[in-house]
Structures are given as C-alpha cells and as structure tokens.
Amino acid sequence: MSKTHIPQPETWLTDYGDMFYRYALVRVRSESIAEDLVQDTLLAGIQSFENYKGQSTVKTWLTGILKHKIIDHFRSAKHQSVSLDESELGDDLLSYQFDDQGNWKTDLVEWVTPDQSIDNDQFWQVFNSCIDRLPNHLGDLFILRTLHGLSSDDCCKIMGHTSTNQLWVALSRIRMKLRLCLETRWFNHE
Amino acid sequence: MNKSMLKCKEIVELVSNSFETSIPWPKRWQMKLHLLMCKTCDQYYKQLLFIQKAAAKMDSHFKNASLSSTACNRIQEKIKDVLK
C-alpha cells in the first residue's frame, strides 16, 4: 500500500495524541519520554501501515504499537543488569517493622475510607510521589507488573531479575514500601 | 513449636505473592488461618489489596493531562515530513 492510501494519518495526532500521551505518561512518568513515545508511535504507524489488517480499529492498532514502544523504553539500557542490592531488598524495612521473632512491632490500624481516596486528586499526587520515591527500577517494575499487566517472565527479562522468586521478593518490598508511604503521607496525615 | 504456624514476617511475603500466583493449598490455608487470627496481618492484606486496586486505576488520575502545544507542533511537523 502506498502512503497516499493511508486514511487520514494527519488527523491521528488530533484524534489520539492526548489519549496516547496520558497512557504513556502514567507508565513512564516523564513528560518528555511520553511525548517521544507518542511521536514514535504515530510515525511507526504511518511507516508500517501496510501491516494494518483492518481487523481492529486504527486506534486499537496504534495502541498496540504504543504498548510495544513502552516495553522497549523499559527494556532500554538503564534497566540492563540491574540487581537488587541489600538495602533495596529492604532488610532495614523488615527490621523496622518486625521483631526478632518475626512478629509485628506495631499493630496496623484500619485505613479510613480508602475507597473514597480514589476519587481524590490529592490522593493521586501522594500515590504517585510514593511510587516516585521508590528506587527507580522498583517503581518501573511496579507499574509494569501491576498497571501494564506484563507477565512475571517478561518482567524478569526486562528488569534483569534472574528468577521469578527474586521478582516476587522485589514486588513484596515494593508493596511494603508503598503501604508505609501511603500510611504516613495520606491515611495518618492530618 | 507448631510448624504450621507461620510468622507475620512470612505472611506478608505470602500476601504479596498471592497477587502474583496461585499459592499452593497448604500454604494458602495457613495464610487464611493466620489472617483470621491476626488482625494486623489481616489489615496488611486489606491495605495491599487496596494498593493493587488503586494501581489498576492510575490511568484515571491522568485524565486531564495533554500534550503541550510545542510537542504537538513538533510531532505534526514530523508527520508531515514522513507523509511527503
């Protein structure tokens, strides 16, 4: 198919630009990277339009390209051969919360109306900042696994974990840190 | 010591893993029993469940974000170049 037969790619930016930008931004958490991903996606869509089979909408097809671009971003150099060091594995975090017998040092208190928080913009600022406070690749891992729904095997490959077990330990520490952060900065915060 | 009793420190790992995989039944049973008896671990479980739920809804938080006009112009120029 020649380029002249591509239906309306000049309107793609207007039609899908902001939607794709938001999709990328929540995942990569960088405005400039999200902008680049939108651009790369639209250009790749134009250049590979002959691969579009018409089985899905152009929007769905382009979203598929964007998802691949996002994975490629996470796969890029900064995550290669990253290993969890002891502090990131959170031994301090464990000894902070548990005594030598493995019991909680302090009882956890029920969070007040957590479901209402989800409608609160300020909650999301805190939630995001808690993810940003995680060491860089741990925040990315949480996003990839929990929001992007990438499989454990793929997460291991992309984030450089040698085993699923190691991945799960990392995810457990991430959740532990996020829980503490939300408790301190939102639920127990005046 | 009763071997079937898992420590709270082990339960928090199991709770997180239960979001990743299907825990084999003896372990799962031990976890459920522990959660019934231990209020703090049960809170931990509920709070992690909330975090999972919130994370899945992160997209809604960015509903107002949009491309800057600078970025739009830049991308539109690139598209024009490719379509030439």
Side-chain angles (χ1 to χ4, degrees):
Chain A
M1 191 183 286
S2 76
K3 282 176 184 173
T4 51
H5 292 134
I6 300 173
Q8 309 286 314
E10 50 285 302
T11 70
W12 284 357
L13 182 62
T14 320
D15 294 342
Y16 314 122
D18 284 340
M19 191 187 75
F20 288 170
Y21 175 68
R22 287 192 285 272
Y23 189 90
L25 182 61
V26 66
R27 284 158 179 80
V28 302
R29 305 196 312 287
S30 152
E31 291 174 3
S32 63
I33 294 171
E35 288 170 2
D36 289 348
L37 286 167
V38 173
Q39 176 175 306
D40 291 352
T41 298
L42 298 181
L43 295 183
I46 292 167
Q47 278 155 350
S48 64
F49 200 74
E50 54 265 41
N51 298 333
Y52 174 61
K53 303 281 195 293
Q55 287 161 333
S56 56
T57 62
V58 170
K59 181 173 115 180
T60 306
W61 179 69
L62 287 171
T63 304
I65 297 176
L66 175 61
K67 284 181 181 176
H68 281 290
K69 298 272 175 205
I70 289 170
I71 301 292
D72 286 346
H73 157 73
F74 283 119
R75 194 176 309 189
S76 64
K78 68 172 177 166
H79 292 311
Q80 292 305 316
S81 68
V82 158
S83 63
L84 287 169
D85 64 35
E86 286 304 307
S87 63
E88 283 175 320
L89 270 172
D91 285 351
D92 292 349
L93 200 62
L94 287 176
S95 55
Y96 172 70
Q97 295 179 101
F98 297 98
D99 64 21
D100 292 341
Q101 274 77 49
N103 298 313
W104 291 95
K105 283 183 182 169
T106 317
D107 289 347
L108 301 191
V109 180
E110 187 175 353
W111 285 350
V112 181
T113 61
D115 287 334
Q116 286 175 24
S117 303
I118 284 180
D119 299 323
N120 188 322
D121 284 344
Q122 283 172 322
F123 168 76
W124 287 112
Q125 281 174 21
V126 172
F127 193 82
N128 267 307
S129 70
C130 285
I131 292 179
D132 286 339
R133 287 156 79 107
L134 294 166
N136 201 14
H137 70 283
L138 287 183
D140 290 346
L141 171 60
F142 182 72
I143 296 279
L144 272 177
R145 180 74 188 107
T146 312
L147 176 66
H148 209 63
L150 203 67
S151 73
S152 295
D153 284 349
D154 286 342
C155 283
C156 284
K157 280 182 208 147
I158 290 170
M159 307 306 290
H161 294 290
T162 49
S163 69
T164 316
N165 208 47
Q166 197 193 43
L167 179 82
W168 290 349
V169 171
L171 283 163
S172 176
R173 297 300 181 274
I174 289 168
R175 293 183 173 114
M176 203 174 272
K177 285 187 186 214
L178 279 180
R179 195 206 70 79
L180 268 174
C181 183
L182 287 175
E183 182 162 86
T184 313
R185 300 185 55 216
W186 180 256
F187 289 104
N188 286 356
H189 203 257
E190 286 303 313
Chain B
M1 187 177 141
N2 187 345
K3 276 190 171 174
S4 72
M5 289 299 287
L6 291 172
K7 297 290 178 192
C8 297
K9 198 173 164 180
E10 296 168 294
I11 291 295
V12 299
E13 300 295 322
L14 273 181
V15 163
S16 177
N17 290 356
S18 74
F19 297 119
E20 302 305 321
T21 187
S22 169
I23 308 280
W25 72 265
K27 271 271 162 76
R28 189 167 58 214
W29 185 81
Q30 288 173 42
M31 183 180 95
K32 292 205 167 178
L33 197 67
H34 186 110
L35 295 183
L36 281 173
M37 296 185 302
C38 174
K39 275 192 166 180
T40 288
C41 283
D42 190 49
Q43 274 309 316
Y44 188 81
Y45 173 71
K46 285 175 177 154
Q47 291 171 5
L48 254 55
L49 206 58
F50 167 77
I51 290 172
Q52 286 292 109
K53 201 164 77 175
K57 290 187 177 176
M58 281 179 79
D59 280 312
S60 64
H61 162 62
F62 283 85
K63 56 184 181 286
N64 296 323
S66 59
L67 281 166
S68 67
S69 53
T70 321
C72 273
N73 292 338
R74 195 184 66 225
I75 297 171
Q76 199 69 57
E77 286 303 312
K78 292 266 182 190
I79 290 177
K80 274 185 197 162
D81 283 351
V82 174
L83 287 173
K84 263 178 200 165

